[in-house]
Amino acid sequence: RKRTGRKGNSYQALVRTKKNGRYYSLTKTFSKKVLAVQWARDKEYDIERGQYADLSAIEGVTVRACIDRYIKEVSPIKPIGKSKLAVLRRVQRSSIADEQIGTLETGDIVAFCVQRKSVDGAEPATITQDVIYLSGVVKMAMSVWGFPIKSNPVEDAKAFLIQKRLIGKPKQRERRPTAAELEAFRQVVAANKRIRLPMCDLVEFAIASAFRLGEICRITWEDLDSDKGTILIRDRKDPNQKIGNNQCVPLSSEALEVIARQPRFEERIFPVDARSVSTVFTRQCKKAGIEDLHFHDLRHEGTSRLFERGLEIQQVAMITGHKSWSMLQRYTHLKPADVVSRLNET
């Protein structure tokens, strides 16, 4: 049916049919006639083959509501990390959150990703996270909640999204601070009497330990064994299960020296907030004229130094917490000149 309104013409597709004693009455409106015709044919085909999913039971259930239910039901079983929760909440604030879960199509997913790139300026790696976590919500709706959804539109859209480079792997950073940059940073921090955080010690420890910033801010005096030169990192980041993933990690003499300088007035060795450290680091780097250096790059630097000291992959992985060489390799940026010198050692 052609309809004329204030915004122009629209086309309402209607399907009225009977199959195996059951009556079907479906309708949907489109902006173009060709889309309405194609939709009607697809629905007739699904009904004929017995593949039509009756979505009346979940009519009006939005993506936003499903994300809320997902968070509520999954959290008690497997706590959702801060980054994943932030992504899910971000998706809830987007236009796709108003779409009904039962009528969600690949075109909706593509449009969402295009908007994330063109409007929000999100990189493919960031959009990939949106897609992965949104797909997880749809999978749960299909398999656990029993929603009559024929297929996962998020998974169906992935091939096209990869082809158009809307989603993809993160760009591998190879940024390592130079000795001159580290010295410039120390001088700027030392000259700023308003900084209350032990920034120089934090930077030195991050390189000496190759720990994540969050781990540095969590380690406690109780978990330190100075005699053995080890420390226990609780709930260390893991792709499968973070909670309970406690690891006893060896510390270098440089890392132990930094710890020995810290005042012992709280249970944590570095009683600081990770976000504050990251903010101050970025600000002081700017003042020191250091460009494009993130605090996490210090972990890359520390890992690379471990290999340069001659440690084997298994030994480095014990310190950094990586589960595979493919993951560890992303943090390894060896200098060609150092490799040449090792090759020519006699």
Side-chain angles (χ1 to χ4, degrees):
R1 294 176 180 174
K2 182 179 179 180
R3 291 184 168 183
T4 303
R6 290 181 299 175
K7 296 183 179 180
N9 295 332
S10 63
Y11 299 86
Q12 185 183 46
L14 299 97
V15 176
R16 303 283 187 269
T17 187
K18 180 180 178 182
K19 179 69 176 179
N20 297 329
R22 180 179 177 182
Y23 290 94
Y24 293 88
S25 179
L26 315 176
T27 179
K28 190 173 182 179
T29 302
F30 297 87
S31 59
K32 296 182 180 180
K33 181 179 179 180
V34 63
L35 297 176
V37 172
Q38 185 61 51
W39 179 86
R41 287 175 177 170
D42 289 343
K43 296 306 175 185
E44 286 180 329
Y45 180 76
D46 290 341
I47 293 172
E48 183 64 28
R49 297 192 60 182
Q51 296 181 343
Y52 173 70
D54 185 3
L55 302 174
S56 59
I58 57 172
E59 185 176 356
V61 179
T62 64
V63 172
R64 180 180 290 104
C66 288
I67 292 177
D68 277 333
R69 181 176 175 181
Y70 176 89
I71 294 172
K72 183 179 179 180
E73 295 185 8
V74 171
S75 295
I77 303 171
K78 182 180 179 181
I80 299 176
K82 291 182 179 179
S83 58
K84 180 177 180 179
L85 184 60
V87 171
L88 290 172
R89 293 305 189 196
R90 184 173 62 212
V91 173
Q92 282 189 307
R93 295 191 297 270
S94 67
S95 58
I96 200 172
D98 296 320
E99 297 289 339
Q100 294 188 36
I101 190 75
T103 57
L104 198 62
E105 298 179 349
T106 56
D108 299 320
I109 306 302
V110 173
F112 164 69
C113 294
V114 169
Q115 183 183 42
R116 290 283 289 125
K117 178 181 180 180
S118 59
V119 178
D120 302 335
E123 294 291 333
T126 303
I127 303 174
T128 298
Q129 287 187 317
D130 299 344
V131 169
I132 289 174
Y133 296 144
L134 179 57
S135 178
V137 173
V138 178
K139 286 178 181 177
M140 188 163 183
M142 295 171 64
S143 60
V144 180
W145 304 336
F147 284 11
I149 303 173
K150 187 168 60 174
S151 65
N152 188 335
V154 186
E155 293 298 315
D156 295 341
K158 277 187 177 179
F160 179 82
L161 295 173
I162 294 172
Q163 181 185 8
K164 297 302 179 182
R165 297 182 180 179
L166 288 167
I167 62 175
K169 295 180 179 180
K171 295 179 181 178
Q172 183 172 333
R173 287 181 62 84
E174 297 183 357
R175 182 70 162 91
R176 292 183 64 177
T178 65
E181 287 176 330
L182 292 174
E183 180 58 31
F185 180 86
R186 282 190 287 267
Q187 291 180 6
V188 167
V189 171
N192 192 338
K193 303 302 181 182
R194 293 182 298 177
I195 298 178
R196 302 302 180 188
L197 302 176
M199 289 304 301
C200 291
D201 281 349
L202 286 165
V203 168
E204 187 176 340
F205 185 80
I207 296 174
S209 66
F211 290 173
R212 300 176 180 87
L213 177 55
E215 295 169 350
I216 295 173
C217 298
R218 287 202 318 272
I219 54 176
T220 65
W221 292 104
E222 180 184 358
D223 294 327
L224 174 67
D225 190 329
S226 300
D227 295 332
K228 293 182 179 179
T230 62
I231 195 164
L232 183 68
I233 300 180
R234 299 181 183 275
D235 299 331
R236 201 168 202 190
K237 184 177 180 181
D238 185 88
N240 297 318
Q241 182 61 42
K242 171 182 173 181
I243 304 301
N245 182 36
N246 303 332
Q247 295 182 357
C248 184
V249 181
L251 292 170
S252 65
S253 58
E254 296 89 345
L256 288 168
E257 288 175 7
V258 177
I259 290 178
R261 294 198 295 264
Q262 305 312 306
R264 192 164 183 168
F265 60 89
E266 194 184 304
E267 64 175 25
R268 289 184 298 160
I269 297 173
F270 297 98
V272 294
D273 182 83
R275 289 172 296 183
S276 299
V277 173
S278 182
T279 300
V280 173
F281 180 80
T282 302
R283 189 178 299 147
Q284 298 309 307
C285 279
K286 185 176 181 180
K287 289 183 179 180
I290 303 172
E291 298 181 357
D292 188 36
L293 184 65
H294 305 161
F295 195 94
H296 196 69
D297 293 332
L298 303 179
R299 175 167 159 84
H300 292 239
E301 174 68 17
T303 304
S304 298
R305 289 189 184 188
L306 293 174
F307 279 108
E308 290 167 354
R309 294 172 75 162
L311 270 68
E312 298 180 356
I313 294 174
Q314 298 91 334
Q315 295 170 323
V316 175
M318 181 184 294
I319 298 171
T320 62
H322 291 99
K323 298 296 184 182
S324 65
W325 166 241
S326 61
M327 296 172 64
L328 183 58
Q329 191 176 26
R330 293 179 57 243
Y331 289 83
T332 308
H333 310 299
L334 303 180
K335 299 173 183 176
D338 293 335
V339 177
V340 170
S341 63
R342 292 291 299 275
L343 287 172
N344 295 316
E345 286 181 354
T346 56

